Amino acid sequence: MVSGQDHGVPDGGLHPDGSPLTGPTDAQEEGFPQDQAAAMDALRERNHALVQALNRAGKELTKAKTQLAQMASPPMNLALALGVDSVSFDEMGVQHANLEVLYGSRRMVLALAPGVRADRVRPGQTLLLDENMVVVQVRDQAGSGPLRQVSRIMDSGALVVQDTSGASSLVERSGALMDTDLSVGNQVMVDPSGQMALARVPEEDRNDLVLEEVPDVTFADIGGLDRQIDRIRDAIQLPFLHKDLFRRFALNPPKGLLLYGPPGNGKTMIAKAVANSLARGSGTRGVFLSVKGPELLNKFVGESERLMRRIFERARQRAGQGGPVIVFIDEMDSLLRTRGSGISSDVETTIVPQFLAELDGVEALDNVMVIGASNRIDMIDPAVLRPGRLDVKVRIDRPGREAAASILSRYVTSDLPLAAGTSGGDLVQVLVRDVYRQDPGRKVCDLLDQDGRWNPLYMSQLISGAMLRNIVDRAKTMAVKDSIRQDREVGLDADRCLKAVQEEYLDMLDSVGDQNPEQWARTAGLTAGRVSDIRLVDRAGAES
């Protein structure tokens, strides 16, 4: 084997990067015979290829070693910083520090790695420990944890806090709370072991949940739901307004009412109309406490339950003043979801029992009616729907032709600027005919059922009261814009109404989009479990 440059190449045959030299070092120009020169050139090319292969192999080996080291590295642990125990520096200026930490429920003193500055560690921060239990990194403090209420502030700054059961404990303040003004009654987040208060939690304003004025919505404002309204009157108005008769006949008024069905069909309006009718009928000032289910969900352990208690506490307080109180919980399926479903963050395991405890009357709920609204009754915990709880259930469905005409007549009235020779009733019929026609011009999509059949879905099968109102508002906006453009009042006419229906239809096509077929079908109020695929309509063709 040739010994030059470790690869069998004479000295001077390669650049430092391994590439072959050219020019004056070429074999022929050095005076070698032609056959030897060719052999030398071939050796140089081969050597260059070998060097490149070795470089690639070296890089791959380094990468593999790094990955292997990562896979073989031991797990690291997390701890809570309580404070600096001691700090010193040797003659070389290297830091030697120990930290007092909380590791699980154990208080320990651990060494701090030289590269981590002790003066930047604050109580309450999260610490990363290596396999030797040395602190190698300081992180921000945790952003979630159990909640406690401050019941006393010690002279030292430590806090006496209480949990939801009323049990007290003494906790230290984190560095983030050192300069924070706290008072009795404040909510603080503590670490999982309950030994340190990490952060103050802003109080939810209970007044944000209360509408002190009686809602101005009446049953007369709601169109197309006469049958449902009659049932609601029997279930709610009669027990409130004729209490003596109900006592005589030993009838217990229902505690709650559930309004369910596809979105946009008047569930919230009905709840407000109920509050209005009860207040007017009793001659007192009623109260409407409205809250959306997601607003009660909170990342802090126990906070959702506390808010639920405060809502019912507020309801009892207002009811004690003699007036009826409606507690309206919208999107109830997001709050009182079936326990153990695994869909949410398991907050339902505590919030559902808390709601049931309030509803079942740990304290009397006189003059208080709970009304829930949901698009997905199938997701509400069955215990909530048992008799004696939300046992009155009224489905608020999509409007048919007659109901749609009744709804539209609330928004297309004779006092509006109408085109000459046009009446409000005429425009209502124009709108109903166009919305409810079932032809390719109003087809939204095709649905594949579980039997393998494609079935057309039309605009009329997805229409809601909210959409009907939106169509009228679109037509009115067109008339307003034309009036401004032409510098004269332009009346509402059939052409503008038809254009408004077309715009709503195109928006409906966009809303279907690329969604999970079964989930979309359930939300839209279609037959559950029967939709396995969706075939969209060509929007370009629909616009033409």
Side-chain angles (χ1 to χ4, degrees):
M1 174 179 276
V2 182
S3 60
Q5 295 295 320
D6 297 329
H7 295 289
V9 180
D11 292 343
L14 292 177
H15 284 295
D17 63 356
S19 61
L21 291 171
T22 59
T25 60
D26 184 86
Q28 280 188 303
E29 295 186 11
E30 291 292 329
F32 288 98
Q34 186 173 3
D35 56 344
Q36 291 183 357
M40 293 291 288
D41 289 341
L43 285 174
R44 287 193 184 97
E45 292 179 2
R46 183 179 178 185
N47 182 67
H48 179 57
L50 287 172
V51 169
Q52 289 183 323
L54 285 172
N55 287 337
R56 288 195 299 269
K59 292 178 180 178
E60 291 296 325
L61 182 60
T62 301
K63 181 179 177 181
K65 287 181 177 178
T66 302
Q67 292 176 340
L68 183 62
Q70 290 176 344
M71 295 175 62
S73 62
M76 305 185 82
N77 299 299
L78 297 175
L80 182 74
L82 297 179
V84 177
D85 181 72
S86 62
V87 180
S88 62
F89 295 89
D90 59 22
E91 62 276 6
M92 300 298 294
V94 177
Q95 170 190 272
H96 299 277
N98 293 321
L99 296 182
E100 186 178 355
V101 307
L102 189 64
Y103 180 63
S105 59
R106 297 174 58 195
R107 298 176 76 100
M108 306 174 67
V109 175
L110 301 179
L112 186 65
V116 183
R117 293 180 55 175
D119 59 349
R120 294 186 177 179
V121 179
R122 303 186 71 193
Q125 289 182 301
T126 300
L127 305 174
L128 185 66
L129 315 179
D130 66 9
E131 67 274 17
N132 297 316
M133 298 296 283
V134 174
V135 179
V136 294
Q137 188 182 79
V138 180
R139 300 180 174 182
D140 293 336
Q141 68 180 33
S144 62
L147 285 189
R148 299 289 184 266
Q149 188 173 46
V150 178
S151 60
R152 184 182 173 189
I153 301 176
M154 309 297 290
D155 293 338
S156 63
L159 307 173
V160 178
V161 297
Q162 290 183 334
D163 61 16
T164 54
S165 67
S168 297
S169 58
L170 183 66
V171 299
E172 301 175 44
R173 295 194 192 204
S174 69
L177 281 181
M178 291 298 184
D179 300 324
T180 302
D181 290 331
L182 294 174
S183 57
V184 173
N186 287 158
Q187 294 282 324
V188 293
M189 181 187 76
V190 301
D191 73 281
S193 69
Q195 298 189 43
M196 177 173 285
L198 300 178
R200 177 182 174 182
V201 179
E203 289 287 324
E204 300 278 350
D205 188 357
R206 71 177 68 185
N207 293 322
D208 290 344
L209 305 175
V210 179
L211 179 62
E212 295 290 351
E213 298 280 335
V214 176
D216 58 1
V217 178
T218 68
F219 287 122
D221 298 321
I222 303 172
L225 295 173
D226 294 342
R227 180 179 58 83
Q228 292 90 335
I229 289 173
D230 285 342
R231 186 180 175 196
I232 291 167
R233 287 181 185 273
D234 291 343
I236 296 178
Q237 273 190 297
L238 289 180
F240 266 92
L241 303 181
H242 303 282
K243 294 181 180 180
D244 292 340
L245 280 174
F246 266 70
R247 292 193 192 99
R248 290 279 303 276
F249 283 91
L251 282 174
N252 294 320
K255 293 180 179 178
L257 164 70
L258 178 65
L259 305 173
Y260 69 98
N265 286 294
K267 295 186 287 291
T268 302
M269 287 186 67
I270 289 176
K272 291 183 177 181
V274 168
N276 181 293
S277 65
L278 293 180
R280 303 300 180 195
S282 63
T284 61
R285 181 176 177 175
V287 177
F288 186 71
L289 289 84
S290 176
V291 62
K292 289 184 179 294
E295 291 178 355
L296 285 180
L297 297 177
N298 197 289
K299 67 178 179 179
F300 298 109
V301 177
E303 180 68 356
S304 298
E305 296 84 337
R306 186 184 69 85
L307 293 175
M308 179 69 74
R309 287 194 301 273
R310 293 185 65 174
I311 289 171
F312 279 93
E313 174 188 331
R314 183 71 163 174
R316 294 187 185 94
Q317 177 187 352
R318 292 300 183 188
Q321 299 173 4
V325 176
I326 298 295
V327 177
F328 177 61
I329 303 177
D330 201 2
E331 301 180 53
M332 183 173 271
D333 50 277
S334 66
L335 178 68
L336 304 176
R337 187 163 292 180
T338 301
R339 285 168 284 185
S341 63
I343 300 175
S344 69
S345 60
D346 291 331
V347 69
E348 69 271 359
T349 58
T350 54
I351 193 67
V352 170
Q354 184 65 50
F355 173 79
L356 297 178
E358 300 291 344
L359 194 64
D360 288 344
V362 175
E363 298 180 31
L365 277 178
D366 294 336
N367 289 337
V368 177
M369 169 63 64
V370 178
I371 300 180
S374 173
N375 303 331
R376 297 288 305 273
I377 189 175
D378 58 297
M379 296 180 68
I380 298 177
D381 193 286
V384 177
L385 306 177
R386 288 175 188 162
R389 290 168 178 167
L390 297 188
D391 48 2
V392 179
K393 306 172 190 66
V394 180
R395 180 175 176 84
I396 310 298
D397 218 334
R398 299 190 182 279
R401 285 177 174 268
E402 291 185 8
S406 176
I407 293 170
L408 290 168
S409 66
R410 265 71 175 176
Y411 308 119
V412 183
T413 56
S414 58
D415 59 341
L416 293 174
L418 303 177
T422 301
S423 68
D426 293 337
L427 295 181
V428 166
Q429 291 306 313
V430 167
L431 289 167
V432 170
R433 281 195 300 270
D434 196 25
V435 169
Y436 283 83
R437 62 186 173 98
Q438 295 196 351
D439 57 38
R442 289 292 173 261
K443 186 169 80 168
V444 177
C445 62
D446 291 304
L447 302 179
L448 181 65
D449 62 25
Q450 292 182 339
D451 297 325
R453 294 190 298 264
W454 287 99
N455 303 294
L457 184 73
Y458 296 99
M459 182 180 188
S460 58
Q461 294 168 276
L462 293 175
I463 201 69
S464 67
M467 292 179 185
L468 291 171
R469 178 173 183 173
N470 197 44
I471 289 171
V472 176
D473 287 346
R474 287 178 187 268
K476 290 178 179 178
T477 302
M478 292 178 194
V480 169
K481 292 171 70 175
D482 289 342
S483 297
I484 296 171
R485 195 160 36 241
Q486 299 178 26
D487 197 23
R488 65 181 180 86
E489 186 174 270
V490 174
L492 196 62
D493 61 8
D495 286 342
R496 293 181 179 87
C497 289
L498 293 176
K499 288 179 182 178
V501 174
Q502 178 68 5
E503 288 184 2
E504 190 72 24
Y505 167 67
L506 294 176
D507 284 353
M508 190 177 287
L509 294 183
D510 293 336
S511 70
V512 176
D514 185 18
Q515 302 192 46
N516 177 279
E518 184 175 352
Q519 183 176 355
W520 173 80
R522 288 180 179 274
T523 303
L526 304 176
T527 304
R530 297 293 296 169
V531 179
S532 56
D533 200 2
I534 300 174
R535 186 168 60 197
L536 302 178
V537 168
D538 179 23
R539 196 183 193 281
E543 290 177 336
S544 59

